[in-house]
Structures are given as C-alpha cells and as structure tokens.
Amino acid sequence: MEGSIQTLRYLAEEILEDMTLDEKIGMIHGGELFKNKGVPRLGIPPLVMSDGPCGVRADFHPDEWINVGNTDDYVTYIPCNSAIAATWDRALARSAGNVLGQEARGRGKDVMLAPGINLKRTPLCGRNFEYFSEDPFLTAQLASEYVKGVQAWDVSACLKHFALNHQETNRLLVDEDIDDDVLEDLYLQVFKDVIDEADPYSIMTAYNKIHGEFCSESKFLLNETLREKWGYQGFVVSDWGAVHGTKEAAEAAIDCEMSVTNDFDEYKLANPLKKMVEDGEIDESLIDEKVIRILILMLRLNMIGEDRLERKDASYNTFSSKAEVLDIARGSVILLKNDDNILPVTRPAIKDKKVLIIGENANRIHSNSGGSAEIKALYEVSPLMGLKSRVGGGTKFDYIRGYCSKPDSNAVDNGTNWQELSLENGGGKQQDGTDADKELKEFRAKLRDEALNACGDYDYVIFVGGLNHDIDSEGVDRRDIELPYEQNELIEALLEKRPDTIVALIGGGCINMSRWIDKCKALLFMYYNGMEGGSALAEVIVGDVNPSGRLPETFYYSEKDCSGVSVGDFGDENMVHYRERFHIGYRYTCRENIKVQFPFGYGLSYSDFEVSNTSYNSGMREVKLTLKNNSDFDATEVIQVYRLPDEMADYLQLVGFEKIYLKANSSIEAIVPVKDKFGIGNYAVGKNVLELVKIV
Ligand code: GLC
C-alpha cells in the first residue's frame, strides 16, 4: 500500500484499537519458528519470515528444526552476497534482489531475512560469504539495489545483523569495544546509507552486545539511533534467540522476538511480558508501538488494509530467474592471473582434446549448507558439469578427485537441523584446527598420487579447489586463511609437472596461495556462485564470457596482515576490540604499505583497457574519462574512484565505481558519479586500489 508513514500509522492505529492484549502480544513474538501469530478474528495473517540471502530456505515444521521434506521447496539458488559484490554491478545486484523477491512471493513469504551487510572486518569470519565487502560504499551501493529488487515484489528485505556481527566466535555474548565515532560513522552508517537509499522495510538485530547492551535490547541502538535520530519506522526483528530480557526488550524499540525453541508462549515477549503488563510494570503503550510497526509493514506489503492494492503475485523456479542468476554468476568470476594467455582455452583449441579435471570442488555442490543461508537448490551446476555440458562430446573429460575435505560418509543425516542447538556454547566457535588423522592423510596422499600420475596424459589440466561450507559457515570462524585439505601440496606438485595447469578456487573469502602462486600461470576465483556457478566458470574458461569480476575484499597473504581481528583477539572470548578504528581492509594495508596477495578491486580481463582524459567536475560531482578496449574481445571494465587521504580522513576510500561494457576495439566517454561524505577532496581513478592515477 502506498502512502506516507503517517498515513500508514493512522491506519495501523485504527486496526490496533480492535485488538486485545493477547492478540497484540501474539504479534510480537514467534508463534512458529518463522512466523509470529496473526489475528484471525481481524483478518490479520501471521507474518511469514524466511532465510536467506542465496534463496528461499526449505520449509521446516512449525515447531521443529526438521525439514518438512516435500518436493515443493526446491528453489533458485542465487549467488551469495560476496559473489554479487564481486560483480561491482548495480544492475546485477538489483537482479539478485528481483529473483529473491519473486521467489519469496512465489513461495508465500513476507519477509526475506537478507541481505547481510556487516563489513568484512576480518577474513576469518565464517559468515563472510553472506556479506558483501570490507568497503562500506561498495556494500551500501549494491545492498541498496538488492533491497529495491526484493521489495518490488511486495516482500520485505531485512538488513542484518544490526550491528557489528563480525565474527561467529561466541557471537551470542561477545561485547564490542568500539569508539563512538567509528561505530556511528562507519559500521552504523552502512545501515543508514541503505535505509536512505532503498528504504528497507525490516532490520534484524544482531546477537552480540555493544557497549554492554544486547543489540536487541539496546536503547542506544534502537530507540536513540534507529528511531529518534534516523526516524526509521520499519519492522525490527531479533535474530533467533537474541532477546534476553523481557523488560529490556519491551522498552527497547524492537518489534518482534524470534528464537530457536518451540516454547513460543514462554518467549520473553510472550507470557512473561503479559504478566508484567498486568502487574503494571510495563505500560501497554510500549506493546502498541511494536504492533503498529508490524501493521505498518503488513500494510506496505498489501497484506492487510481495506484499500490495499492487489498484492503482487509471482512464480518461483522460472526460466527467467535462472537466466538472471547465470548473468550474475558470469559477472562475478574473477581472473587473478593469466600469464602467457593460457586462458581462454577456446572451443576450437579444446575440441577433440583430452581434459583432466582435478579437485573435489569441481564435483561438489555448496547450496545445501553454510548455516541459515542453506537452501534446497532446484539444481546446482558444478564446474565439472559446467565444462562437460558446455564443451560437448567432442572433448574427452576425465575427473579425478585429487583431494578430499573429509572421509566419505555414507551416513544419511535426517536428524534435526544444526540450528536447534545453535544457541549453545556461545553460539559459535573457531575451527578447532585439528589435523587429519593418519588414515585420512594416507587417503589424501593416495588421491594426490592418482592425480599426479595421470596429469601427464592430457592436453589440458584444470584444478578446482578452495573452501566449502564446512569452513565458510554460520557458527564457526576460520582459524587462518590457509588452503585446507593438503591442497597446497597437490597444487605445488601439479604445477611442477604441468605448469600450464589452470587453477580455479571457490570459497567465501580470501585464501593464502603463496605456496604455489608464483608458479601458477592461470588462476581464477569465484565465491559460492549460485546454481549456475559451474556454467559461468566454464564459460569464462572457454572464452564464451570475458571475466569482469573484481575482488570486493583484500586478499591477504596472512590473516595477521589484517587490521581487524587476528587469531589472538578471538582468544578474548567476551570482548572484541576495534583498535583499528576506521582502518579496515585496504584502508589499513594501503596506509601501512602492507604487501597483499591481491588488492581490493583487483581482477583481470581477456582484454586490455586504456583510461585517458580524466577530469573531475566538482559542480556535478563526477569523474569523466575516456575508456578504450584495445582488444578483439567485447569486454567489461570496472572503473573505480578513490578519495585520497587528507586531514578530513587519513585513509583511502572508494567514493565511486561504474561497470562499463565496451565492444571490441572501441572507446567510450564514461562518467562516474562521486559520493563523498567529506566534501570535495582529491581523487584518483583506476582498476583497483593499488593501480590509481590521481585526477589533476
Ligand atoms: C540465524 C542467523 C540469522 C538467520 C536467523 C534465522 O541464527 O543469525 O542470520 O536469519 O537465525 O534462521
């Protein structure tokens, strides 16, 4: 329903007048694992919430963390938020939101619990794949488009996790020690920028504390900042199990308590709250405010209201959605090295040849794990399938596993979902880092030998490895950024025997490749790239697609080079210290001249670009330049504009970017709008944060 918040508030207040205390309280806490209680007597349906950023999560029983197990909840698997960020493409981010909103509406969901916009402060965070970037501008620009895409379908997006949820270790209880200016001007500002740009109808509060207050009960965060200072009237839902105190939550400006247990009427904002109201400890007006904001949300979604518009209808698993997620995946693949132009291996070159594909990740799917972002994908094209299906029968493909993440387990896990116990032991921990036992080491050596013994008999060798959701997952943080499962040993040995091996890594964040990268000539990286990720990777390898992905985060050599949480900090189970202040990611490494493996914004193409005639128009607040594609390939370049350090801000910061498509051997006059909160500064333009040319 259109109309100002005031109009919607007026309508909501009218509806509220007819509600009993029980009905009001039923609206502000979980009545099922993913729903509140509606008010059937007044024609108010329950609000149906669902994860997650990569697609609409499979259905659980109303009060058990066991999947219903029907065949109707297979869905479109969208590239993860990091993969969207790697496209640096606002249109593709909008497309991702469009698919998610359509799928959600098609599956009858009202609130999609996405996107996650916490910054990648440390490469060790297990949920980094669910977040966009280390940079606030890239995050806010792309998340805003994603939110607009979702909400165009009368479905609410939900920014999460508000705020500072930058680690999984002890996430339920950890307190954040951070200077007020850094909290407000960096970490909260990202949420404010998306609120101002895209008007997300919902926000989810984080588990952790800030300055000693749980986010879900923080008057500073919710009453003073979100409601009073920012004027946000949207729906605020707790993370599942993030509310601890009845009085605190009643007085804080949170609207609905969700959790993982099925004692719904015993939730803090259920019977305990009713008792406090009846005892006069809590004024009913505090409940009214929460219910009004829920009713405003439902009015905005055309769920209720006499004069509501016809609510958008939609389908899921459509062919158009698959085409959209393939385009996103194509724009997300990052070419990191291409010495001697080994890539692309064009179709004529590969036809009738023998290709050996090595690596567990060539043959593994990722959609079905990772925590609450897990989904039941209708299908997921692996790199192995992508290559074989795109190159056809003329080429002979063989596959060898080469390494294994863990011993094969034939056990079918039909037990309850991990989330039922997710509030135990602080809600998260670091990988235990235990080495493989003797038997697993021997098994891996056998797999390695098999690959090495075979690799000499093929025209092409492609290795696909990296991480998986045993490592990139909710509830667990990485110990380091090393490549696991003895992949380094295999890649080193492979490159000795076959220096032309094409290496492709898949993961949720940066990986230290220094053991072999100098010997590697052809190197690709992609995040968990959706149901067509394998197709997109194959199309880049054979040259059907010219790679245009760019790193949305710094790829360090070691997590110790990162200014944020190093392993030591995780040791302090109850406190995170933001000693680095504003200097996260490239802001730190550029300022301290720390050598990195690949810089923020980095990515190669099969084409060469030339930038010239750069100028800055202070009146229009935009950079103008000439961009030339000096190749026979149509190509896409990401032009990046950075504000240079000065007395206003002593760090480099991204203030503008545009992804520009160019036909082969053509040039274009490009304009890059600059959004600089610090007023006019000095700017530089380039293709990543280290290759910059100052604009005079
Ligand atoms: C989880 C996550 C949150 C998710 C929610 C519902 O614990 O922190 O991102 O949306 O609970 O599954």
Side-chain angles (χ1 to χ4, degrees):
M1 176 177 281
E2 297 303 316
S4 69
I5 282 289
Q6 287 68 27
T7 306
L8 295 173
R9 170 172 281 273
Y10 173 74
L11 293 171
E13 285 165 351
E14 275 195 321
I15 297 169
L16 181 78
E17 280 169 10
D18 297 338
M19 293 172 79
T20 66
L21 176 61
D22 279 345
E23 289 168 339
K24 294 176 190 176
I25 286 183
M27 295 274 288
I28 64 173
H29 68 84
E32 292 184 18
L33 291 178
F34 283 97
K35 292 181 186 177
N36 68 351
K37 289 183 182 176
V39 185
R41 181 178 68 84
L42 299 175
I44 300 172
L47 197 61
V48 182
M49 297 167 246
S50 169
D51 291 309
C54 298
V56 180
R57 195 173 178 189
D59 288 334
F60 286 97
H61 288 284
D63 56 359
E64 284 184 298
W65 288 100
I66 297 176
N67 286 133
V68 171
N70 288 341
T71 58
D72 63 346
D73 54 358
Y74 287 94
V75 296
T76 299
Y77 169 34
I78 302 164
C80 70
N81 283 359
S82 291
I84 294 166
T87 70
W88 286 63
D89 189 323
R90 294 179 180 85
L92 290 178
R94 173 73 74 97
S95 175
N98 176 60
V99 171
L100 186 62
Q102 189 178 166
E103 294 270 308
R105 195 70 208 97
R107 297 243 344 98
K109 311 296 183 183
D110 304 316
V111 180
M112 283 312 297
L113 305 171
I117 62 168
N118 296 110
L119 297 184
K120 296 192 178 193
R121 173 176 178 263
T122 161
L124 301 182
C125 175
R127 294 186 81 171
N128 271 349
F129 73 98
E130 288 189 66
Y131 305 147
F132 287 83
S133 172
E134 65 191 39
D135 181 83
F137 182 70
L138 184 63
T139 297
Q141 288 285 305
L142 298 179
S144 294
E145 293 306 316
Y146 182 104
V147 167
K148 291 173 189 171
V150 171
Q151 298 191 161
W153 287 95
D154 288 342
V155 169
S156 172
C158 182
L159 295 189
K160 70 186 188 182
H161 306 88
F162 190 58
L164 302 188
N165 187 172
H166 298 126
Q167 67 181 54
E168 293 303 285
T169 303
N170 198 28
R171 63 176 172 157
L172 293 187
L173 303 170
V174 75
D175 194 359
E176 314 282 344
D177 164 29
I178 184 170
D179 296 336
D180 291 347
D181 59 340
V182 178
L183 171 61
E184 294 195 40
D185 300 342
L186 176 57
Y187 293 104
L188 299 188
Q189 189 61 45
V190 181
F191 285 83
K192 175 82 168 50
D193 288 346
V194 181
I195 289 169
D196 291 347
E197 174 62 33
D199 188 18
Y201 296 165
S202 306
I203 285 177
M204 179 192 292
T205 51
Y207 283 118
N208 50 277
K209 295 176 188 172
I210 297 177
H211 300 158
E213 282 187 314
F214 284 112
C215 289
S216 303
E217 303 161 4
S218 166
K219 289 197 177 72
F220 162 75
L221 203 54
L222 302 175
N223 303 43
E224 295 160 29
T225 304
L226 193 61
R227 305 301 188 181
E228 292 155 25
K229 190 172 175 184
W230 296 357
Y232 182 72
Q233 290 296 307
F235 170 61
V236 175
V237 63
S238 76
D239 202 340
W240 268 236
V243 168
H244 296 260
T246 297
K247 186 173 189 305
E248 294 78 359
E251 292 174 348
I254 187 166
D255 303 319
C256 188
E257 172 196 6
M258 299 303 287
S259 192
V260 300
T261 52
N262 58 15
D263 54 345
F264 304 114
D265 289 335
E266 294 320 305
Y267 282 16
K268 302 295 185 299
L269 293 184
N271 289 340
L273 175 60
K274 180 179 176 182
K275 186 170 182 318
M276 292 186 85
V277 172
E278 287 166 346
D279 295 349
E281 291 180 64
I282 291 287
D283 192 290
E284 188 167 341
S285 63
L286 293 178
I287 300 172
D288 291 351
E289 263 308 295
K290 300 177 192 298
V291 176
I292 284 169
R293 289 191 290 256
I294 296 174
L295 292 171
I296 287 173
L297 170 65
M298 299 179 90
L299 286 163
R300 298 179 93 171
L301 299 180
N302 291 308
M303 293 177 69
I304 57 173
E306 285 168 13
D307 308 328
R308 68 179 179 276
L309 303 174
E310 186 66 31
R311 192 177 187 189
K312 291 255 184 350
D313 216 340
S315 314
Y316 61 106
N317 288 333
T318 62
F319 285 107
S320 63
S321 291
K322 296 177 184 64
E324 287 191 75
V325 296
L326 173 56
D327 276 344
I328 297 162
R330 284 167 170 161
S332 179
V333 178
I334 302 166
L335 178 61
L336 294 174
K337 285 191 79 174
N338 194 22
D339 299 347
D340 305 344
N341 289 321
I342 283 187
L343 285 168
V345 178
T346 61
R347 290 166 182 280
I350 204 170
K351 184 165 169 32
D352 299 330
K353 293 293 189 323
K354 288 175 63 185
V355 180
L356 177 59
I357 299 177
I358 303 170
E360 184 180 272
N361 263 358
N363 198 26
R364 178 172 177 147
I365 64 167
H366 301 281
S367 49
N368 58 348
S369 52
S372 57
E374 64 194 5
I375 56 165
K376 252 166 85 170
L378 183 66
Y379 65 81
E380 180 179 348
V381 178
S382 66
L384 179 63
M385 189 197 295
L387 280 160
K388 292 181 81 167
S389 58
R390 258 145 195 75
V391 184
T395 303
K396 180 175 179 344
F397 284 98
D398 285 332
Y399 170 68
I400 291 181
R401 191 174 180 184
Y403 74 92
C404 73
S405 50
K406 54 188 174 188
D408 287 340
S409 148
N410 301 319
V412 177
D413 175 12
N414 54 13
T416 59
N417 185 278
W418 60 275
Q419 199 154 354
E420 178 169 6
L421 307 175
S422 65
L423 303 189
E424 297 183 3
N425 61 51
K429 60 181 176 36
Q430 240 181 323
Q431 298 275 3
D432 58 18
T434 48
D435 287 336
D437 61 20
K438 180 172 176 295
E439 190 182 351
L440 183 52
K441 278 184 175 296
E442 286 170 359
F443 181 53
R444 283 177 175 156
K446 179 173 164 295
L447 291 175
R448 194 159 53 237
D449 290 346
E450 184 188 6
L452 294 172
N453 293 337
C455 69
D457 302 334
Y458 290 83
D459 301 298
Y460 295 98
V461 177
I462 301 172
F463 172 82
V464 184
L467 308 176
N468 55 50
H469 285 308
D470 295 339
I471 290 171
D472 293 311
S473 175
E474 178 171 349
V476 70
D477 290 315
R478 298 168 71 181
R479 292 195 70 76
D480 52 44
I481 59 169
E482 298 308 312
L483 189 61
Y485 317 133
E486 299 174 49
Q487 291 177 78
N488 284 323
E489 287 77 359
L490 171 57
I491 299 171
E492 276 180 315
L494 263 178
L495 290 170
E496 278 301 313
K497 297 192 92 170
R498 291 297 301 263
D500 61 338
T501 299
I502 296 163
V503 176
L505 298 184
I506 297 171
C510 72
I511 296 168
N512 174 20
M513 309 171 202
S514 53
R515 284 264 301 266
W516 42 265
I517 194 165
D518 294 339
K519 300 191 192 74
C520 178
K521 295 182 176 185
L523 175 61
L524 295 151
F525 179 85
M526 74 176 185
Y527 293 95
Y528 300 111
N529 214 0
M531 66 205 305
E532 291 287 353
S535 310
L537 182 63
E539 289 175 335
V540 166
I541 288 173
V542 299
D544 289 355
V545 168
N546 195 341
S548 64
R550 298 288 182 271
L551 288 177
E553 64 185 288
T554 302
F555 269 29
Y556 304 95
Y557 283 112
S558 161
E559 64 284 350
K560 296 178 179 60
D561 294 334
C562 160
S563 63
V565 183
S566 64
V567 176
D569 267 26
F570 282 156
D572 177 350
E573 286 293 299
N574 297 310
M575 185 66 84
V576 180
H577 304 281
Y578 287 66
R579 300 183 187 90
E580 77 283 358
R581 288 181 47 79
F582 293 99
H583 307 125
I584 62 171
Y586 68 86
R587 298 169 167 211
Y588 174 72
T589 54
C590 293
R591 188 166 180 270
E592 304 298 332
N593 292 317
I594 292 174
K595 192 172 182 310
V596 298
Q597 194 163 221
F598 294 103
F600 176 81
Y602 184 88
L604 301 177
S605 164
Y606 293 147
S607 301
D608 294 319
F609 293 98
E610 188 186 317
V611 171
S612 58
N613 308 326
T614 57
S615 65
Y616 176 65
N617 179 326
S618 56
M620 296 294 288
R621 317 248 1 224
E622 62 190 24
V623 167
K624 288 179 82 172
L625 55 90
T626 302
L627 179 66
K628 199 172 173 201
N629 171 3
N630 294 321
S631 79
D632 299 331
F633 278 105
D634 294 351
T636 308
E637 173 64 302
V638 179
I639 293 293
Q640 303 161 35
V641 179
Y642 291 83
R643 188 187 201 281
L644 300 177
D646 61 15
E647 65 287 348
M648 297 287 284
D650 64 351
Y651 48 84
L652 202 57
Q653 53 185 308
L654 181 70
V655 292
F657 64 92
E658 285 298 326
K659 192 158 197 178
I660 299 164
Y661 173 78
L662 269 176
K663 299 292 281 177
N665 299 307
S666 71
S667 69
I668 189 173
E669 298 306 309
I671 288 177
V672 183
V674 169
K675 293 196 173 182
D676 180 354
K677 295 185 178 51
F678 291 91
I680 308 294
N682 291 313
Y683 304 108
V685 65
K687 54 176 61 177
N688 65 65
V689 77
L690 292 188
E691 293 180 64
L692 293 175
V693 175
K694 184 171 179 187
I695 300 168
V696 178

